[in-house]
């Protein structure tokens, strides 16, 4: 049965999945969950003192060799919930090309790889990241070395399965689909279908998702055998230690209000979410012109630049990361103090994922959502989804208005810089086209010369 398909099909009754795991006596350590000593030490070195709720639910079941559906909110420790059982199984039966982790975004793939390498460093585990935006030849060489774990986005993996000589997944023992709802929402259904057809039926499958959509239920029926459902949170919610606010502002003064809040909460680290790549870049330039250490992260940047931005922010070399929703799910950046929704998310569920970047792993955090005269309905939908009315963030309007002149000048400079960047990009593309044309002409000439030589 195909894993993809439309939303229209009715979901199978829940009888297809075993009921949620019964509450057990709260384990105090990973050892209590059945994790072997060498991996417990690795957890300790990573600073994982106590298992999270999803780890408590999923790890014992996965260690028993059962298929798992894990439903958990963002920032709940899902990577550990599937990485530890895979590494423990690998210790028991060492094998190359042992596990495949499918994930929706490049950044999340690199992050999962880091966790596998860190947890498995003492037992010599090797992983390969197979994602778009990176040279396929170097990836083919990495696959030829037969890593233990492959972490991949579905599109690029299918490219290698179809075109890389000698590469197959016929010996695979574990399949993980992380952020399954998002993989399917990004229209990877065809690719997931192709992957399911070429991997062994006799495997363990772990499916993790923030939401149980009809598409995810359909994928579950296609890919999992008699799974156990481990649900930590069945309704949409934000964590308790997150202080959530909104500010209602006129659209034309958004930049001034942003600068005011960054000044008011100076000393914190910020993630600011914008709706488009262009606005992310513009706002980053604006803030830099005003002396803030801001750095952008969006889909129009090269993979190296995206990883560079992320690493600078993680290393605290920059205190403000401006991002599109490419960064709203799955990325584990431990020190985000404040999330600002500069542009309100169009889909209410994205609000949960955005604000989930702060108040992680038991820490506290703040989120502030900008609501303009055009966003009232979207904001009401968010409040309805999370089941609470948000308080207004305390503001001094006069102080905001005092910033408008400086902000207007910074806006003007940012627009000029953005235009210059666009012109440089166009010029580079034109040069690339010219180079390709020149190479084409040279090849034709060379081909002609070869033919002449053959003629004599």
């Amino acid at each position: 049965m195909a894993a993809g398909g439309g939303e229209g099909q009715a979901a199978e009754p829940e009888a297809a999945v075993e009921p949620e795991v019964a509450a057990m006596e709260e384990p105090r350590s990973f050892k209590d969950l059945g994790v072997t000593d060498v991996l417990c030490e690795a957890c300790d070195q990573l600073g994982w003192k106590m298992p999270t709720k999803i780890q408590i639910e999923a790890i014992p079941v996965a260690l028993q060799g059962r298929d798992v559906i894990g439903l958990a909110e963002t920032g709940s420790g899902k990577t550990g919930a599937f990485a530890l059982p895979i590494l423990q199984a690998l210790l028991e039966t060492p094998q190359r090309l042992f596990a495949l982790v499918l994930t929706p975004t490049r950044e999340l793939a690199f992050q999962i790889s880091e966790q596998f390498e860190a947890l498995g460093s003492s037992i010599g585990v090797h992983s390969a990241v197979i994602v778009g935006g990176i040279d396929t030849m170097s990836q083919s060489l990495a696959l030829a070395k037969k890593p233990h774990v492959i972490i991949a986005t579905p599109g690029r993996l299918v490219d290698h399965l179809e075109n890389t000589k000698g590469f197959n997944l016929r010996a695979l023992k574990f399949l993980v689909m992380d952020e399954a709802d998002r993989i399917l929402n990004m229209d990877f259904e065809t690719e997931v279908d192709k992957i399911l057809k070429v991997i062994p039926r006799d495997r363990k499958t772990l499916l993790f998702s923030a939401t149980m959509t009809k598409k995810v239920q359909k994928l579950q029926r296609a890919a999992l055998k008699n799974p156990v459902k481990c649900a930590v949170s069945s309704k949409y919610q934000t964590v308790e230690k997150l202080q959530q606010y909104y500010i209602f502002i006129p659209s034309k003064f958004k930049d001034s209000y942003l600068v005011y809040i960054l000044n008011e909460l100076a000393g914190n680290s910020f993630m600011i979410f914008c709706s488009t790549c262009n606005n992310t870049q513009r706002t980053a330039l604006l803030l830099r012109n005003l002396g803030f250490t801001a750095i952008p992260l969006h889909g129009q940047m090269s993979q190296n630049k995206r990883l560079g931005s992320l690493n600078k922010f993680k290393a605290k070399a920059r205190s403000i990361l401006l991002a599109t929703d490419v960064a709203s799910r799955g990325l584990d950046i431990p020190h985000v103090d404040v999330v600002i929704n500069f542009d309100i998310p169009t889909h209410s569920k994205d609000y949960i994922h955005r604000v989930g970047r702060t108040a992680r792993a038991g820490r506290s955090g703040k989120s502030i959502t900008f609501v303009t005269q055009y966003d009232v309905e979207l904001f009401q939908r968010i409040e309805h989804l999370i089941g609470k009315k948000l308080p207004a963030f305390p503001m001094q309007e006069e102080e905001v208005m005092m910033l408008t002149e400086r902000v207007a000048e910074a806006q003007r400079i940012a627009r000029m810089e953005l235009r210059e960047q666009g012109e440089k990009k166009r010029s580079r593309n034109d040069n690339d086209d010219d180079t390709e044309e020149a190479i084409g002409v040279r090849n034709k000439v060379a081909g002609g010369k070869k033919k002449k030589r053959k003629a004599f």
Side-chain angles (χ1 to χ4, degrees):
M1 181 182 197
E7 287 278 342
Q9 185 169 336
E12 242 178 45
E14 278 297 314
V17 180
E18 281 195 13
E20 294 177 23
V21 179
M24 52 192 280
E25 192 180 324
E26 197 79 354
R28 279 179 235 120
S29 67
F30 286 96
K31 193 168 179 62
D32 293 345
L33 299 177
V35 177
T36 192
D37 287 347
V38 66
L39 292 175
C40 285
E41 284 168 27
C43 291
D44 204 44
Q45 282 166 4
L46 282 178
W48 297 4
K49 303 297 180 196
M50 295 264 296
T52 66
K53 286 180 184 174
I54 190 63
Q55 290 165 356
I56 289 166
E57 297 271 351
I59 289 173
V61 177
L63 288 175
Q64 289 165 20
R66 300 291 302 275
D67 283 5
V68 171
I69 296 173
L71 295 177
E73 63 202 20
T74 184
S76 58
K78 285 182 286 187
T79 307
F82 60 74
L84 289 168
I86 286 171
L87 292 172
Q88 189 145 320
L90 185 59
L91 269 173
E92 289 161 11
T93 52
Q95 177 195 307
R96 295 287 179 165
L97 298 175
F98 187 75
L100 166 65
V101 181
L102 291 179
T103 183
T105 67
R106 304 168 187 184
E107 285 75 20
L108 187 50
F110 281 102
Q111 184 178 292
I112 292 168
S113 172
E114 281 171 17
Q115 296 221 334
F116 265 104
E117 297 271 356
L119 286 168
S121 59
S122 61
I123 56 173
V125 169
H126 294 290
S127 67
V129 177
I130 306 300
V131 296
I134 289 175
D135 173 50
T136 51
M137 185 55 72
S138 61
Q139 290 179 348
S140 297
L141 292 171
L143 291 172
K145 291 177 184 171
K146 299 199 170 174
H148 300 101
V149 183
I150 295 170
I151 301 102
T153 48
R156 180 53 68 92
L157 183 70
V158 168
D159 284 349
H160 282 286
L161 285 167
E162 290 175 347
N163 302 311
T164 298
K165 200 174 176 184
F167 170 58
N168 67 69
L169 294 169
R170 288 196 284 268
L172 195 74
K173 294 289 185 262
F174 274 87
L175 169 67
V176 177
M177 285 177 275
D178 191 26
E179 305 275 10
D181 52 344
R182 197 162 171 219
I183 289 175
L184 298 175
N185 283 343
M186 289 169 77
D187 293 329
F188 281 129
E189 293 161 66
T190 309
E191 288 83 354
V192 171
D193 264 352
K194 286 180 179 175
I195 293 162
L196 290 175
K197 280 173 186 157
V198 298
I199 61 176
R201 285 179 175 276
D202 184 22
R203 62 167 194 271
K204 303 288 175 282
T205 306
L206 311 174
L207 185 151
F208 286 83
S209 182
T211 58
M212 181 51 94
T213 63
K214 288 195 177 87
K215 283 184 180 180
V216 173
Q217 285 178 313
K218 193 170 182 186
L219 176 60
Q220 166 223 309
R221 294 196 300 273
L224 281 75
K225 286 185 287 196
N226 194 23
V228 178
K229 182 177 171 188
C230 303
V232 168
S233 174
S234 55
K235 66 177 191 295
Y236 297 111
Q237 59 184 47
T238 48
V239 294
E240 286 170 23
K241 290 198 175 181
L242 172 65
Q243 298 172 301
Q244 301 171 78
Y245 300 95
Y246 78 94
I247 53 171
F248 188 60
I249 54 176
S251 179
K252 65 177 181 179
F253 293 125
K254 271 176 94 170
D255 290 343
S256 299
Y257 276 87
L258 178 62
V259 173
Y260 170 82
I261 283 174
L262 294 175
N263 283 331
E264 280 296 292
L265 302 176
N268 289 297
S269 61
F270 298 85
M271 271 190 87
I272 301 170
F273 284 99
C274 301
S275 57
T276 64
C277 299
N278 193 60
N279 202 28
T280 305
Q281 194 70 27
R282 181 200 71 83
T283 313
L285 292 170
L286 169 90
L287 294 178
R288 280 184 196 169
N289 288 327
L290 290 165
F292 293 100
T293 57
I295 197 159
L297 174 67
H298 56 76
Q300 285 179 4
M301 293 163 67
S302 70
Q303 187 60 32
N304 282 343
K305 281 190 175 170
R306 281 159 74 169
L307 286 173
S309 287
L310 205 51
N311 289 334
K312 280 177 187 169
F313 187 68
K314 276 185 171 181
K316 302 190 182 183
R318 300 288 184 278
S319 62
I320 301 168
L321 180 69
L322 290 109
T324 52
D325 281 307
V326 73
S328 70
R329 280 177 77 169
L331 298 186
D332 183 25
I333 305 166
H335 66 279
V336 179
D337 302 312
V338 184
V339 166
I340 297 175
N341 289 306
F342 185 64
D343 294 325
I344 199 164
T346 316
H347 302 292
S348 307
K349 288 173 197 170
D350 286 337
Y351 174 84
I352 308 279
H353 303 307
R354 286 181 180 190
V355 300
R357 299 303 93 216
T358 186
R360 291 169 82 83
R363 288 182 287 270
S364 59
K366 276 190 185 72
S367 73
I368 302 168
T369 299
F370 284 25
V371 184
T372 71
Q373 63 270 39
Y374 309 112
D375 307 322
V376 175
E377 192 184 337
L378 288 172
F379 181 63
Q380 286 170 339
R381 278 189 217 156
I382 288 167
E383 287 190 322
H384 178 71
L385 181 75
I386 62 175
K388 61 171 81 168
K389 289 272 181 197
L390 300 189
F393 187 77
M395 304 284 294
Q396 296 292 330
E397 312 291 333
E398 315 81 56
E399 288 182 28
V400 178
M401 291 303 112
M402 284 165 66
L403 295 166
T404 52
E405 208 170 305
R406 275 181 61 218
V407 169
E409 178 60 15
Q411 285 171 332
R412 188 182 66 78
I413 298 167
R415 278 195 297 272
M416 282 167 52
E417 288 173 336
L418 207 54
R419 206 175 305 123
E420 280 169 21
Q421 285 178 1
E423 281 166 10
K424 274 185 192 167
K425 204 172 181 181
R426 275 194 296 278
S427 165
R428 259 201 315 272
N429 290 342
D430 289 345
N431 288 340
D432 289 347
D433 292 344
D434 292 345
T435 307
E436 280 176 24
E437 204 172 305
I439 289 167
V441 169
R442 211 162 49 238
N443 287 345
K444 276 183 188 169
V445 171
K449 282 178 182 171
K450 278 178 192 168
K451 281 174 189 165
K452 281 178 187 172
R453 276 201 295 274
K454 278 184 183 173
F456 288 112

